[in-house]
Amino acid sequence: MLNYLINLFFPKVCAGCHSLLMTNEIVLCTNCRHEMPLTQYYLDSNNEAVKKFYGKIEIEHASAFLYFNRKGMVQELIHNLKYKGNEEIGTVLGNWYVEDLKNIQLKTPFSAVIPVPLHQKKFRERGYNQVTTFGNALAKGLNIGYDDSILFRKKYSKTQSKKNLQGRSEGIENVFDVNYSEENRNKHFLLVDDVLTTGATLEACSRALLKIPGVKISIVCMAMANS
């Protein structure tokens, strides 16, 4: 009865098109699910996400689940996840994409999922890290750990979405650092973020993680901006 009353006065709507969700639909309506711009990058070991890091850092795998276009459906999803508190979006996307990631060929299996961290001040302002639910869904689906204690952000910075591409790349080199122990050596970490643009943030995070002896890095994002 309580759920009925909640749905009556606060009906659940699709995070993509804002239409009312049917009883068996979660976060996205069936139509929006069919319209999602899937990259299929997991099928191509030389995809556009991988190319972002050529000659910069050595990675085992890189991919993004969706294409991100300005004023498109994916931008709406990420906005609702990042600024409107709809963390369930991350869970849905993670549960969806993890089935694809299970099919990629790796020399060394993933050891743990690590999220791109927020600075403590930004975390207090927002109240959550927008990639937590996505990362946890991947970790659960891959049957590996989720660790947000190893990688941390040393410096506070303004929201990346308000910067141009050049601004996102500048001053990011020494923003991140790691706090690790012996048990973190020789691991294969899956680094996750929301949107891959220039790759500067993920490169900086990877460089910090590579301070750990023997570590391998893979990168997965919810979406990748069309260049």
Side-chain angles (χ1 to χ4, degrees):
M1 179 64 72
L2 179 60
N3 287 335
Y4 173 79
L5 290 173
I6 291 173
N7 289 331
L8 179 63
F9 292 102
F10 303 98
K12 293 184 178 181
V13 297
C14 173
C17 68
H18 305 293
S19 63
L20 290 176
L21 291 175
M22 303 296 287
T23 303
N24 62 334
E25 295 175 333
I26 301 173
V27 175
L28 291 166
C29 68
T30 301
N31 286 338
C32 282
R33 280 182 176 265
H34 287 304
E35 294 297 322
M36 282 287 108
L38 307 178
T39 67
Q40 302 292 319
Y41 281 170
Y42 74 98
L43 296 172
D44 181 7
S45 61
N46 193 35
N47 63 63
E48 293 302 312
V50 172
K51 292 176 182 177
K52 287 281 187 181
F53 305 101
Y54 277 175
K56 299 175 182 177
I57 53 171
E58 184 175 347
I59 55 175
E60 303 300 305
H61 167 85
S63 64
F65 182 36
L66 304 165
Y67 286 114
F68 182 99
N69 296 300
R70 287 184 60 81
K71 298 183 179 180
M73 189 187 307
V74 176
Q75 183 182 37
E76 181 72 11
L77 283 178
I78 300 298
H79 181 83
N80 284 321
L81 167 62
K82 196 169 183 177
Y83 302 112
K84 298 295 183 65
N86 193 346
E87 294 186 85
E88 194 174 13
I89 291 172
T91 300
V92 168
L93 296 184
N95 287 337
W96 191 350
Y97 197 37
V98 77
E99 296 306 314
D100 293 336
L101 294 180
K102 290 177 182 178
N103 296 316
I104 64 175
Q105 301 297 314
L106 295 169
K107 294 179 180 178
T108 307
F110 300 127
S111 304
V113 172
I114 292 184
V116 169
L118 295 179
H119 188 273
Q120 289 183 350
K121 180 179 178 182
K122 178 64 69 63
F123 187 88
R124 289 193 297 269
E125 291 172 353
R126 186 173 295 162
Y128 60 97
N129 184 337
Q130 71 272 13
V131 299
T132 295
T133 50
F134 178 71
N136 271 310
L138 294 184
K140 183 176 180 181
L142 294 169
N143 196 29
I144 57 177
Y146 176 87
D147 197 327
D148 59 4
S149 66
I150 298 174
L151 181 66
F152 64 95
R153 185 185 289 258
K154 298 187 294 183
K155 299 178 181 179
Y156 178 82
S157 61
K158 294 181 180 179
T159 301
Q160 292 289 301
S161 61
K162 296 179 181 179
K163 300 178 181 179
N164 58 29
L165 292 180
Q166 181 179 357
R168 295 181 189 187
S169 301
E170 293 176 347
I172 196 75
E173 296 86 356
N174 300 310
V175 169
F176 302 96
D177 207 346
V178 288
N179 180 23
Y180 67 93
S181 62
E182 283 294 319
E183 67 179 21
N184 302 131
R185 292 170 177 257
N186 303 311
K187 300 294 186 180
H188 183 181
F189 293 131
L190 178 57
L191 181 64
V192 298
D193 201 5
D194 50 10
V195 181
L196 173 57
T197 50
T198 65
T201 296
L202 288 158
E203 180 185 345
C205 287
S206 297
R207 290 189 185 282
L209 288 169
L210 289 170
K211 294 178 183 178
I212 306 173
V215 155
K216 292 180 173 60
I217 305 293
S218 286
I219 293 170
V220 163
C221 296
M222 299 181 211
M224 178 168 169
N226 277 331
S227 54

